């Protein structure tokens, strides 16, 4: 049992409140998974300045000033780095691919938790409410956020094992459930040249979707391919800087609810995570149908 939350803001007047609302939503899902948690925030200028490439790193025992100096020397531009709990977040006036390449060359043993433009991914071990406090999430702004509270079933309780899995540029996937045939699909993806960081079943789903998107498919088509290829019970929320999509397996036994207003679209494992959103009393609220892809774009 895990908890998923997601919030896509249509009304720019709400952007300053993204972190506040996302923190409240994630806290309501704490009893669905209190061993670890993670978030992805799109558009928080304090973490991801406009026009900058951004990267989130885990398992890196290096001070931010040293990271700034090392990556700045490699790129020839200033690099800002800060540690937010256990995640090191860096940004630079360069492409995300250039920053990612420099970080991998300098710190090959670090785990890339997320990368792209406008995206920050933070993960940690512990109770979600405590983690959102340590991240300062309530003060974050932005246009979109995704969060996950984890009850581990397929791999160890570590920050790197927490969701979201963000393996493509600006792409994130969170997952409630389990994939029964993840080992088979992992082997197929490895044969196609895809590399993995863990044995986590959710990473297989994230790598599969990223592989589909890299081949030129849109998010809706990629998620239909998930339904056609993956066995198991799952609710998925997939995001990038332009879209926000939800899909459930054919049996749809993992809970999910979607709410939509003119100001926002939100999704959560349970309604109580949506109950304090502004204007929810006027929202259109429904339970997503099995194997139907629900997607929204900016």
């Amino acid at each position: 049992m895990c908890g998923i939350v997601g919030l896509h803001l249509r009304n720019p007047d709400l952007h300053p409140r993204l972190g506040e609302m996302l923190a409240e939503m994630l806290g309501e899902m704490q009893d669905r998974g209190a061993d670890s948690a993670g978030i992805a925030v799109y558009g928080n200028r304090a973490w991801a300045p406009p026009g900058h490439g951004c990267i989130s790193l885990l398992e890196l025992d290096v001070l931010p000033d040293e990271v700034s100096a090392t990556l700045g020397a490699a790129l020839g531009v200033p690099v800002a780095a800060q540690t937010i709990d256990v995640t090191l977040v860096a940004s630079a006036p360069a492409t995300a691919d250039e920053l990612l390449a420099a970080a991998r060359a300098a710190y090959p043993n670090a785990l890339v938790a997320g990368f792209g433009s406008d995206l920050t991914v933070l993960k940690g071990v512990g109770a979600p409410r405590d983690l959102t406090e340590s991240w300062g999430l309530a003060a974050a702004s932005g246009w979109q956020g995704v969060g996950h509270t984890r009850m581990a079933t397929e791999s160890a309780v570590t920050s790197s094992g927490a969701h979201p899995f963000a393996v493509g540029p600006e792409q994130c996937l969170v997952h409630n459930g389990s994939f029964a045939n993840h080992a088979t699909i992992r082997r197929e993806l490895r044969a196609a040249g895809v590399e993995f960081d863990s044995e986590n079943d959710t990473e297989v789903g994230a790598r599969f979707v990223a592989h589909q998107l890299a081949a030129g498919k849109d998010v809706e088509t990629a998620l239909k391919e998930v339904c056609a290829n993956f066995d198991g019970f799952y609710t998925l929320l997939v995001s990038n800087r332009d879209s926000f999509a939800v899909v459930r397996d054919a049996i749809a036994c993992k809970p999910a609810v979607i709410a939509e207003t003119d100001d926002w679209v939100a999704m959560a494992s349970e309604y109580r995570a949506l109950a304090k959103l502004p204007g929810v009393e006027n929202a259109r609220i429904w339970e997503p149908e099995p194997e139907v892809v629900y997607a929204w774009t900016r």
Side-chain angles (χ1 to χ4, degrees):
M1 184 170 69
C2 299
I4 294 174
V5 299
L7 182 60
H8 174 86
L9 298 179
R10 292 167 159 165
N11 184 350
D13 291 341
L14 290 175
H15 289 186
R17 296 184 58 196
L18 175 74
E20 167 200 337
M21 292 186 284
L22 191 63
E24 176 67 30
M25 294 170 71
L26 197 69
E28 285 295 328
M29 292 294 93
Q30 178 164 296
D31 63 359
R32 293 190 62 85
D35 60 37
S36 57
I39 57 165
V41 172
Y42 293 82
N44 181 30
R45 296 188 173 195
W47 296 337
H52 284 53
C54 307
I55 189 168
S56 299
L57 300 175
L58 290 168
E59 301 176 4
L60 179 62
D61 189 19
V62 181
L63 293 175
D65 286 349
E66 181 180 335
V67 173
S68 296
T70 299
L71 298 185
L75 292 170
V77 297
V79 174
Q82 57 182 311
T83 299
I84 304 173
D85 192 26
V86 298
T87 307
L88 188 135
V89 175
S91 63
T95 69
D97 286 342
E98 290 170 338
L99 182 59
L100 176 63
R104 282 179 167 159
Y107 307 110
N109 294 323
L111 179 78
V112 178
F115 68 99
S117 300
D118 305 316
L119 171 66
T120 305
V121 176
L122 305 176
K123 302 186 183 188
V125 171
R129 287 192 177 93
D130 293 339
L131 290 170
T132 59
E133 184 73 21
S134 69
W135 296 331
L137 178 59
S141 61
W143 67 78
Q144 185 167 268
V146 173
H148 187 272
T149 65
R150 184 173 184 231
M151 180 181 290
T153 58
E154 294 289 340
S155 59
V157 178
T158 63
S159 296
S160 59
H163 305 201
F165 277 85
V167 301
E170 291 101 31
Q171 297 168 19
C172 291
L173 180 147
V174 292
H175 172 207
N176 177 23
S178 61
F179 296 129
N181 61 336
H182 63 93
T184 298
I185 295 178
R186 184 186 292 108
R187 285 194 298 270
E188 293 170 352
L189 288 172
R190 280 179 170 153
V194 176
E195 297 182 357
F196 285 80
D197 295 322
S198 74
E199 294 302 309
N200 189 293
D201 66 324
T202 302
E203 186 185 358
V204 179
R207 297 282 180 189
F208 181 90
V209 171
H211 191 60
Q212 298 288 316
L213 295 176
K217 295 179 181 177
D218 60 24
V219 170
E220 291 184 66
T221 303
L223 290 181
K224 289 176 182 177
E225 289 292 330
V226 168
C227 294
N229 286 275
F230 281 78
D231 296 328
F233 306 112
Y234 54 83
T235 294
L236 302 178
L237 173 56
V238 174
S239 65
N240 62 32
R241 68 191 313 270
D242 295 316
S243 67
F244 180 89
V246 177
V247 71
R248 303 169 82 190
D249 67 85
I251 298 176
C253 68
K254 295 299 180 182
V257 60
I258 298 173
E260 181 176 13
T261 72
D262 291 341
D263 290 333
W264 47 260
V265 179
M267 178 269 175
S269 295
E270 298 180 39
Y271 173 77
R272 58 195 168 105
L274 311 177
K276 294 184 180 179
L277 291 174
V280 70
E281 64 277 6
N282 300 315
R284 183 169 74 94
I285 301 171
W286 73 99
E287 181 180 348
E289 295 291 331
E291 292 192 325
V292 175
V293 178
Y294 299 85
W296 296 264
T297 57
R298 291 181 73 198

